Amino acid sequence: MGVVMEKAKVYWADFRTTNSESLMQKLVRLVKKAGIETIDFDGKFTAIKLHFGEPGNLAYLRPNYARALSEFIKSIGGRPFLTDCNTLYPGLRKNALDHLDAAFMDGFDPLACGCHVIIGDGLKGTDEAYVDFPEGEYIKQAKIGHAVMDADVFISLTHFKLHQSTGFGGALKNIGMGCASRAGKMEQHNDGKPEVDEELCVGCGACARECGQDAIEFIKTEDGKRKARIDEEICVGCGRCIGACPKDATHPVGKNTNEILCKKMAEYAAAVVKGRPQFHISLIVDVSPFCDCHAENDAPIIPDVGMFASFDAVALDAACADMTNRQPYLHGTIMDECEHVHNDWFCDVHPTTNWKVQIEHAEKVGMGVRDYELIKI
């Protein structure tokens, strides 16, 4: 007879307020009710992992929520900091300097949020910790931003939304993809190696200077121009050249299927939180049809639902996904253009995805449980 897993508790609160309680105060009441104070924060470095939003996108969480959480953690002795890791793709968040500019532009600065902001994998996305994860089917050693792993306590603060590759972006994606270094993101997204777009390459040599394997050589084209070329036999797929290129000429190839991406992401998330004090918060608000990594956001597809908190990130994502699918969709949005044949908003918008894979695999590798008890405060 199999062992019956106990349901995880997921607490939630709607967005209604009163004259005596703001939404920020309600968030603090929620996390207290969910038991966050059972964690020993006294003198502990506390990573609050969130997405700062790609400038141009307005669907990311308002910095007010981060401030409410950081101020509360400080009040019980913790030393919080906000963190995210650099992106794999070109944009305003692919190195720490631009990333901090982007964060400050969107309101995530120390004065507004009441704590410091640290880019978890350093200047060029190469400051990484190697985290052994023998439970993984795909990942045996995760590459995680060093500052994330140096923290004593880990908290995820997630904007729950849809995602074009994983169905939705919730706590698992915020943790697994978000905490990975550039090499870790490469490992999740791709089975191949980077390549150089010769039309964009100017032969400056920045990629070669960053390569630790001497895998980059330079050739002369017929018109006499100097261009970089990557030797796939030597390249280890670390992605450092992607971050180094000032012209965005290097890019990853050999993309994984969405299902493998979801499984690798779940294993990365499990590696980040394994054996350490953790707590997870997700807000179903401004539920955009695409990731906050887009430099724009489409109209929300459902009404705002509420704030959710749990010690179990797997149960939290399951609860948020179920709650999202219970809502009526909003007309005048991308939902009017979708075929509603799945009885599932995630699959209606992104029919090539299966959002359940990430939850099922995270449970399989021991990160948490899918079954939950939903408790409203």
Side-chain angles (χ1 to χ4, degrees):
M1 187 173 180
V3 177
V4 178
M5 299 289 285
E6 185 177 347
K7 290 183 178 180
K9 289 182 169 60
V10 178
Y11 292 80
W12 80 285
D14 60 30
F15 284 118
R16 299 297 303 274
T17 60
T18 64
N19 291 335
S20 60
E21 185 181 55
S22 69
L23 281 177
M24 287 77 76
Q25 291 168 326
K26 196 170 190 178
L27 174 63
V28 171
R29 181 161 65 93
L30 171 69
V31 299
K32 290 172 72 174
K33 186 71 174 178
I36 194 172
E37 290 173 296
T38 61
I39 296 174
D40 176 15
F41 284 99
D42 191 25
K44 302 292 195 302
F45 292 115
T46 302
I48 302 175
K49 169 63 182 75
L50 74 167
H51 194 304
F52 299 129
E54 189 72 27
N57 186 306
L58 296 176
Y60 59 88
L61 293 182
R62 292 178 180 175
N64 310 64
Y65 294 113
R67 182 181 183 91
L69 187 58
S70 71
E71 293 288 356
F72 171 68
I73 291 169
K74 286 193 292 185
S75 76
I76 55 176
R79 304 191 66 189
F81 63 94
L82 306 184
T83 192
D84 196 6
C85 290
N86 292 306
T87 58
L88 178 62
Y89 53 82
L92 285 181
R93 296 180 300 117
K94 78 168 192 173
N95 65 70
L97 298 186
D98 292 342
H99 204 158
L100 286 171
D101 284 344
F104 295 169
M105 194 184 307
D106 284 346
F108 294 99
D109 66 80
L111 288 177
C113 295
C115 65
H116 287 291
V117 181
I118 299 174
I119 303 306
D121 58 346
L123 182 62
K124 297 180 180 179
T126 58
D127 184 13
E128 59 199 5
Y130 297 96
V131 181
D132 291 333
F133 190 67
E135 300 89 342
E137 292 182 19
Y138 297 88
I139 306 300
K140 297 300 183 183
Q141 189 179 65
K143 304 172 184 69
I144 309 297
H146 227 136
V148 173
M149 297 311 300
D150 279 346
D152 304 304
V153 180
F154 181 86
I155 295 177
S156 66
L157 178 60
T158 302
H159 171 227
F160 191 89
K161 66 280 182 186
L162 272 62
H163 193 277
Q164 56 276 16
S165 298
T166 59
F168 71 80
L172 293 176
K173 188 170 190 303
N174 184 26
I175 302 166
M177 188 63 69
C179 290
S181 66
R182 177 167 286 111
K185 289 179 172 68
M186 275 281 293
E187 188 170 34
Q188 292 175 69
H189 275 294
N190 303 276
D191 279 329
K193 309 289 178 68
E195 68 178 11
V196 178
D197 184 333
E198 290 190 2
E199 289 189 9
L200 295 177
C201 177
V202 296
C204 68
C207 55
R209 289 191 294 273
E210 197 64 37
C211 181
Q213 309 300 320
D214 293 327
I216 300 174
E217 59 183 359
F218 290 87
I219 61 167
K220 275 197 174 181
T221 59
E222 291 182 359
D223 57 3
K225 292 182 179 178
R226 184 174 184 254
K227 302 290 182 180
R229 181 169 292 174
I230 298 172
D231 186 333
E232 288 192 11
E233 295 297 317
I234 302 174
C235 174
V236 296
C238 71
R240 292 187 177 201
C241 56
I242 296 173
C245 181
K247 299 297 182 182
D248 296 329
T250 53
H251 56 89
V253 293
K255 190 173 181 180
N256 280 321
T257 65
N258 287 337
E259 182 170 325
I260 293 176
L261 169 63
C262 285
K263 290 181 177 180
K264 287 184 173 182
M265 187 178 75
E267 292 182 11
Y268 257 78
V272 170
V273 301
K274 181 182 176 183
R276 65 198 304 206
Q278 59 181 285
F279 192 82
H280 309 284
I281 305 156
S282 290
L283 276 66
I284 305 181
V285 58
D286 294 325
V287 180
S288 47
F290 303 103
C291 181
D292 291 349
C293 293
H294 278 233
E296 83 292 324
N297 58 281
D298 206 348
I301 64 164
I302 61 169
D304 294 342
V305 179
M307 306 178 279
F308 297 72
S310 179
F311 285 100
D312 189 318
V314 182
L316 181 66
D317 269 0
C320 288
D322 290 343
M323 189 66 90
T324 296
N325 270 332
R326 291 190 192 117
Q327 308 308 310
Y329 78 78
L330 296 175
H331 291 281
T333 71
I334 197 173
M335 301 300 280
D336 290 339
E337 305 165 15
C338 298
E339 285 190 80
H340 298 289
V341 297
H342 304 93
N343 196 30
D344 181 313
W345 300 150
F346 309 106
C347 294
D348 283 351
V349 179
H350 303 296
T352 62
T353 65
N354 179 1
W355 59 268
K356 296 178 182 178
V357 170
Q358 57 178 298
I359 295 175
E360 291 168 354
H361 197 69
E363 182 181 58
K364 184 178 180 181
V365 296
M367 184 177 178
V369 297
R370 283 175 289 170
D371 288 340
Y372 61 89
E373 177 187 357
L374 194 59
I375 303 164
K376 187 175 183 182
I377 70 162

